[in-house]
Amino acid sequence: MAPTSQIRFIDTALSCTGPFAVSYTDPDQKWLIRKHLISLIQNFPSLTPSVDQFFHDNGSTVNLLNVKGYLQVSHSTPRIPINIWLLENYPFMAPLVFVLSDADSPIHSNHPFVDSSGATTSPYLSFWSHPHSNLSDFVRNLVKLFSHDHPFVYLAAAASGSFTHPALVSKQEAIDRLVGRLHYDVAAVTAKTEEEIEELAALEGEMEKRVVTATSIVLGLDREKKNLKRRVKEMTDEADVIMNWVGVNDPRHVLAAAGEGRTEDAFEAADETAERVVNHLAADKAIEDLIYALDEAVEKGVVTIEAYIRQVRSSAREQFFHRAKILPWLH
């Protein structure tokens, strides 16, 4: 039996008028709310009804009935403070439920039914349907969920996580079990996917760097190719010039044109002085060849040492004379 004082509070809140009136206008709706609240506090004495202002996302405020208290899901775990709000369209709309946490009891960051703000959802709320759904059944379902997956982080690792044998569960527990497992599977897949995305992003960055490097290499090779083409053209042009010169100045052609037998006659000095220098150079080179030939002759025994010495002395004096004539022009 619910405490008389709490029943009287509910009746007073539903019948109040003026600025403190709750935002439920339909008499049948008020009767259903009264019935559900009384049933809830009978089954869960740790919960207490209250009337407070509720702030909607659009900034408007309304006076709504809500239930505050705690749930004791087991003797080995701490109590779970909760706050259940009955919105204007209750019971045709599911209530809003929050788990109240503090610094000493933070909420498990990856809980399947409670987010970091404490907002709570479950398959029972997702499939809320009047008249089949009510507050008492919902809280019973919530206790069962939290007994297997406690919302507070420091107990998450110690939670048993073992539901009843599949052959013995109800339809609702089977749904809860499936949703819980799917949540953790999705969380694991999401974490793995994010890790792979980070790896692919890093790989993409490395590939972009390689593309820049490869592009730079290709551009450099292209420039080198153009330079080589230009150099080949220049060398081809130079080769053509040389070939033309050779064609004009080939001694065989020159001698054939001159009709003479001396190769040196194919070259013409610029003036008399240049001609004298060329003659002295030619004489100097001729004496060098003579001395070299005498060396070979001595080695072979064709010429005697005495004859070799006389000829070398004579050739050396003559070579000295020619070099003395060339020397002023070399400086």
Side-chain angles (χ1 to χ4, degrees):
M1 182 67 182
T4 305
S5 59
Q6 293 187 5
I7 296 175
R8 191 162 48 245
F9 175 82
I10 294 171
D11 290 337
T12 301
L14 290 172
S15 61
C16 181
T17 58
F20 298 103
V22 291
S23 298
Y24 314 109
T25 57
D26 183 29
D28 293 335
Q29 180 192 21
K30 290 182 179 181
W31 182 83
L32 288 172
I33 290 174
R34 181 181 185 276
K35 177 182 177 182
H36 287 188
L37 284 175
I38 291 175
S39 174
L40 178 64
I41 60 180
Q42 284 177 342
N43 292 300
F44 298 93
S46 60
L47 301 178
T48 303
S50 177
V51 175
D52 295 288
Q53 278 193 332
F54 181 84
F55 295 86
H56 284 288
D57 293 338
N58 60 7
S60 62
T61 59
V62 290
N63 293 326
L64 297 178
L65 277 164
N66 62 94
V67 180
K68 298 176 181 177
Y70 61 88
L71 299 179
Q72 185 75 54
V73 298
S74 72
H75 297 294
S76 59
T77 57
R79 300 181 302 181
I80 304 172
I82 64 168
N83 188 191
I84 303 174
W85 290 87
L86 308 185
L87 299 177
E88 295 95 324
N89 293 329
Y90 183 87
F92 306 100
M93 177 184 290
L96 285 181
V97 185
F98 295 92
V99 171
L100 307 178
S101 63
D102 53 34
D104 296 328
S105 301
I107 294 173
H108 179 24
S109 61
N110 194 30
H111 197 277
F113 304 114
V114 184
D115 66 17
S116 59
S117 69
T120 303
T121 185
S122 71
Y124 192 99
L125 289 177
S126 299
F127 296 102
W128 180 279
S129 176
H130 176 74
H132 305 291
S133 305
N134 59 74
L135 291 176
S136 295
D137 289 344
F138 163 66
V139 174
R140 289 191 190 94
N141 174 256
L142 198 61
V143 169
K144 182 175 287 291
L145 289 179
F146 288 164
S147 67
H148 297 295
D149 201 338
H150 202 281
F152 291 153
V153 66
Y154 62 88
L155 286 175
S160 65
S162 59
F163 287 83
T164 309
H165 190 277
L168 304 176
V169 300
S170 65
K171 178 180 178 180
Q172 185 62 55
E173 185 175 350
I175 294 174
D176 294 340
R177 179 179 182 177
L178 178 61
V179 170
R181 289 189 173 180
L182 284 176
H183 174 84
Y184 287 116
D185 289 345
V186 170
V189 171
T190 300
K192 181 63 176 177
T193 302
E194 290 176 351
E195 180 180 351
E196 292 178 353
I197 289 174
E198 291 180 359
E199 293 176 356
L200 289 174
L203 180 60
E204 181 184 11
E206 181 64 25
M207 293 301 294
E208 289 178 352
K209 291 180 181 178
R210 294 187 180 185
V211 167
V212 172
T213 302
T215 302
S216 176
I217 292 173
V218 170
L219 292 176
L221 291 174
D222 187 60
R223 288 193 296 269
E224 185 176 353
K225 178 181 177 182
K226 292 179 179 178
N227 291 335
L228 288 174
K229 284 185 176 180
R230 184 175 62 253
R231 182 59 182 155
V232 166
K233 185 178 182 304
E234 292 174 355
M235 293 181 69
T236 302
D237 294 341
E238 292 175 359
D240 290 341
V241 172
I242 293 174
M243 291 300 295
N244 292 334
W245 185 91
V246 170
V248 173
N249 297 280
D250 189 342
R252 291 171 297 179
H253 297 166
V254 173
L255 291 176
E260 299 178 2
R262 295 201 313 158
T263 302
E264 57 270 22
D265 293 339
F267 300 91
E268 183 179 356
D271 51 31
E272 292 182 2
T273 302
E275 184 175 2
R276 285 197 298 273
V277 171
V278 169
N279 291 334
H280 287 303
L281 285 172
D284 177 67
K285 295 298 182 184
I287 293 171
E288 286 284 343
D289 293 340
L290 175 61
I291 294 174
Y292 179 77
L294 288 173
D295 290 339
E296 289 184 343
V298 169
E299 290 178 359
K300 294 178 180 179
V302 176
V303 178
T304 63
I305 295 298
E306 293 77 6
Y308 170 79
I309 293 174
R310 286 196 302 272
Q311 186 62 45
V312 167
R313 286 178 177 175
S314 174
S315 298
R317 284 195 298 270
E318 185 178 357
Q319 186 179 39
F320 176 80
F321 169 75
H322 289 297
R323 289 186 177 182
K325 294 293 184 178
I326 296 171
L327 188 61
W329 299 103
L330 296 179
H331 295 282

